[in-house]
Each structure stands twice: as structure tokens, then as C-alpha cells.
Amino acid sequence: MRIIDHISDLHFSRIDHRASDALLARLNADPAHLVVISGDLTMRARPREFRAARAFLDALTVPWVAVPGNHDITAYYLWERLLNPFGRWEAMISPETEPVYEDEEIQVLGLNTVSRGGLHLNWENGTIPRSGLLRLLRRLRRLPEGPFRIVVAHHPFLAPPERPDTPVVKRGERALRDLAQAGVRLVLSGHLHVGFHNLHAVTAKDGDSLLVLQAGSATSTRLRGEQNAYNRVVVENGRARWTAHHWDGAAWS
């Protein structure tokens, strides 16, 4: 059995400090085997925000992996966004934007869905670059079969069932089919600040399903009709189950 705490959209500099402090205490008091952060650790990719995010990560007593979100690259310095978009992330959070965590029961792989923008300004909803997906599939082929496979990305691959017109990452559904064929059984994402009920299934040829689980914002004050929340995922006997935990203004419940 493996326990994973899935948090997302921390947005340091625009956080509820009580929720953040209580979340850190909770994650350490009842530790999972791994904490997975699906992007947007900062609000504007400023150095002080990265330092605050890094202090939060350093205070965790369990291993963690994180992928960047669209807020984790600058929106102000276009030369930096185009030429070195993840330089601040790599210097202050992790040298990897697509980390890999592996043990005898789980394999967790990051997929960077953040768009630099290029000649267009539609950055927010992200994309799955062909090169990134092929790199991920090659990594999966090199890993031993058997452990439960999980992919973490910032942008949602599918829209919430109750909001089917919600913009999602480009090429998301095609990527899900490829990931299912590669043995991935769970995708963790964030971005929408709307949480645990965003669940879908894609069936692979062998009959197993790939589940897509989205987390709300763990600590941001930029809420979209839902309380701050995170997911606790339990992987056991080749299946995943989860519980959403919400901040009620005084405690995580």
C-alpha cells in the first residue's frame, strides 16, 4: 500500500496563511509516503514567492515531487519566458520540471504542460508538446512493469463533468489514450481550483481504467466556488481510492 497526498495551486504570495500552516502541520503529523504537487506554487514567479514555496517544501518531512504550473514562469519578462522559462524553477524548486519517483509499489512521473506562449499570448490553458509526451512514453517503457503508474501534470486533461465547456490542455484526450496504453492508471492535475469530483475513466485494451483526479487549490485565496482542498490517494492491490480534505476556515476536515 502507498499513500499519496496530492496538493495543487499553492500560489505563494496570495495564500491563506492559516490554511497553509495547518496544511503543513497536517501533512507532517499524518505523513503519506509521498507528496505530489501539481503546479502553481507561485503567483507571479517572483523570487520571493519561490523562496516561500521552497521553505514550505523544505518543511515537509516526507519525499515530494512537483511539476510547474503556468504561474510558475514569468508573465512580465518575455525574453525570459521564451529563452529560459524554467530557470527560476530549476534554481529554487528543482532541477527537474518532469521528475520521476519510483519504488517497489508506485511509479510517479511528471509531465510539463506549461506553454511558453511563442508568438501567441494564449498561455493559460497549457499544452502537451509532442516531444514531452514521447519522452514520457519512453521513460515508461524503460521502467519495470508491476508498480502502479501515475502521471502528474498541472493542466486538466478533461473538463469537469458539470462544466463540459471548461478549457483544458491541448491534446489531452489523445494523451490519455497513449498513457492508458502505456500502463498509466492515474493522472493527477490541478489548475482549475476545482477539486476531487473531476473524475473520468479511459479504458485500455487490457480492460483496466485510467482515472483522472483533479485537486482544488490547497492554499490560495483565489477560490472559484470551492473551499481550499487537497486529495489523499491510497494505492493498494492495483487500485486507487481517494478522499478530499477541505479547509473550513479553522481546520482541515
Side-chain angles (χ1 to χ4, degrees), residues 41-42 44-58 64 66 72 80 85-96:
L41 278 68
T42 69
R44 296 289 180 229
R46 297 185 175 98
R48 60 181 173 84
E49 298 171 352
F50 276 117
R51 287 193 292 269
R54 182 70 209 204
F56 179 93
L57 297 174
D58 286 343
W64 56 268
D72 294 322
E80 179 183 325
F86 303 105
R88 301 185 189 195
W89 174 276
E90 292 166 348
M92 289 184 269
I93 299 298
S94 169
E96 299 289 338

Side-chain angles (χ1 to χ4, degrees), residues 10 28 46 68 81 84 87 102 137 187-188 193 213:
L10 305 179
N28 286 338
R46 297 185 175 98
R81 187 179 185 104
N84 189 26
E102 180 184 9
L137 294 173
V187 171
L188 303 176
H193 295 205
L213 183 60

Side-chain angles (χ1 to χ4, degrees), residues 36-122:
V36 171
I37 307 103
S38 54
D40 277 3
L41 278 68
T42 69
M43 187 62 205
R44 296 289 180 229
R46 297 185 175 98
R48 60 181 173 84
E49 298 171 352
F50 276 117
R51 287 193 292 269
R54 182 70 209 204
F56 179 93
L57 297 174
D58 286 343
L60 290 171
T61 59
V62 298
W64 56 268
V65 295
V67 296
N70 53 291
H71 280 264
D72 294 322
I73 64 175
T74 182
Y76 300 109
Y77 304 107
L78 296 186
W79 61 269
E80 179 183 325
R81 187 179 185 104
L82 293 174
L83 299 178
N84 189 26
F86 303 105
R88 301 185 189 195
W89 174 276
E90 292 166 348
M92 289 184 269
I93 299 298
S94 169
E96 299 289 338
T97 63
E98 295 181 328
V100 176
Y101 174 91
E102 180 184 9
D103 66 23
E104 61 271 19
E105 293 194 37
I106 58 173
Q107 297 165 348
V108 182
L109 296 90
L111 176 63
N112 187 352
T113 59
V114 177
S115 173
R116 300 183 186 190
L119 298 178
H120 62 85
L121 298 178
N122 185 18

Side-chain angles (χ1 to χ4, degrees), residues 15-26 56 219 252:
I15 68 169
D16 182 329
H17 288 280
R18 292 182 64 199
S20 177
D21 292 346
L23 176 62
L24 180 60
R26 184 184 181 101
F56 179 93
T219 58
W252 288 93

